[in-house]
Amino acid sequence: MTSITHVIFDVDGLIVDTERCYTETISEICQRYGKTFTWEIKAKQMGQKEAVSAKIAIDELGLPLTVDEYLTEVRAKLEEKLPHAQLLPGAEKLIRHLHKQKIPIAVATGSDKWGFAKKTAPHAELFSLFHHAVCASDDPDVKHGKPEPDCFLVCAERFPDQPKADKVLVLEDAPNGVEAGIKAGMHVVWVPDPRADQSGLSGKVDQILESLEQFVPEKFGLPPYSS
Ligand SMILES: O=c1[nH]cc([C@@H]2O[C@H](COP(=O)(O)O)[C@@H](O)[C@H]2O)c(=O)[nH]1
Ligand SMILES: [Mg+2]
C-alpha cells in the first residue's frame, strides 16, 4: 500500500484551465505568420521553462521572432486571458481537504513568477493554502525544467520535514511533468489532456484519471474525504 505524506500539484492544466489560454494565445501568434500550432508542439512545450517553450515553437514553426519577442507577445495576450481561467474539476475540493487534514502540499510549475502571479491572482485564497511554490523559469535552484526532475526535487526539499521521494505524490497533466515526477522517484497521478499519447507513460504512473474528481485519497494512504 502506497503511503503518501506530501503532495505536489502542478498548476497549468491541473489546478487551473490555463492551457486553454496558452493554446488560444500561441495559435493566434502562429496564425499571424501562416503557421498552425499543433498538439504535438504544445505537448513538447508543456511544463518547460518559458524560454525553452518559446524556442520550441520558434524553431519547429519557423516563427520570425526572437525568444524575447515571442514571450512579449505571449505575455500581452495571457494578461487578458489568464484572469478568466477557471479552476478545473476536483482541484479545489482536494486542495482544501488535504490542507484541512494537515497534509503538506506545494506547487511546482514551469511558469515564471510573473505567470504564476497572473494565474493564481483570481484564486489567491486557495493558493494561499499551499506551503510553497516553485516557479521553474525563475528559480536559481531549478537548473532544468520538466521533463527533468529538478523542480519536484527542489519542491520536496523545501518542505520543513524534507520527505523522501517515495512519500511524495505528484499530480500532473503534462507528459513532460509526468516524466519529471517519475525521474524524481515520486508517485505520479496523471490527469492527461485527451489528446495525449498515453502509451509510453501509462505503465509508469500510479493512476491515470479523467479529472481530479476521480481522485480517491485513501488509495494513497491519505485521509478519505469522509474524515
Ligand atoms: O501551450 C502551452 N502550454 C504550456 C506551456 C509552458 O508550460 C508551462 C506550464 O507548465 P506546468 O503545467 O508544468 O506549470 C508554461 O509556463 C509554459 O512555459 C507552453 O509554452 N505552451
Ligand atoms: Mg501542467
Side-chain angles (χ1 to χ4, degrees), residues 10-14 19 22-23 26 37 42 45-51 53-54 70 108-112 119 137 146 172-174 177:
D10 167 48
V11 178
D12 297 272
L14 193 276
E19 285 300 341
Y22 275 101
T23 302
I26 302 168
F37 182 47
K42 183 181 174 71
Q45 288 187 313
M46 290 163 81
Q48 297 275 11
K49 293 191 178 195
E50 306 283 353
S53 304
Y70 170 97
T109 171
S111 273
D112 56 13
K119 294 164 185 176
S137 288
K146 301 169 186 175
E172 258 286 354
D173 70 303

Side-chain angles (χ1 to χ4, degrees), residues 31-106:
Q31 273 148 27
R32 187 168 337 126
Y33 301 102
K35 309 287 185 182
T36 309
F37 182 47
T38 62
W39 162 257
E40 285 66 32
I41 294 176
K42 183 181 174 71
K44 284 182 191 168
Q45 288 187 313
M46 290 163 81
Q48 297 275 11
K49 293 191 178 195
E50 306 283 353
V52 173
S53 304
K55 221 170 148 10
I56 289 168
I58 291 166
D59 294 351
E60 303 244 348
L61 290 165
L63 300 177
L65 295 168
T66 63
V67 166
D68 283 347
E69 286 166 345
Y70 170 97
L71 289 176
T72 302
E73 291 201 34
V74 166
R75 284 195 184 117
K77 289 178 178 291
L78 286 180
E79 182 111 44
E80 287 151 40
K81 297 174 189 291
L82 288 174
H84 309 291
Q86 302 296 309
L87 294 173
L88 287 161
E92 178 163 10
K93 178 183 173 189
L94 178 56
I95 293 165
R96 292 196 185 284
H97 169 66
L98 294 174
H99 180 261
K100 186 161 167 277
Q101 296 292 330
K102 304 205 180 332
I103 303 292
I105 54 174

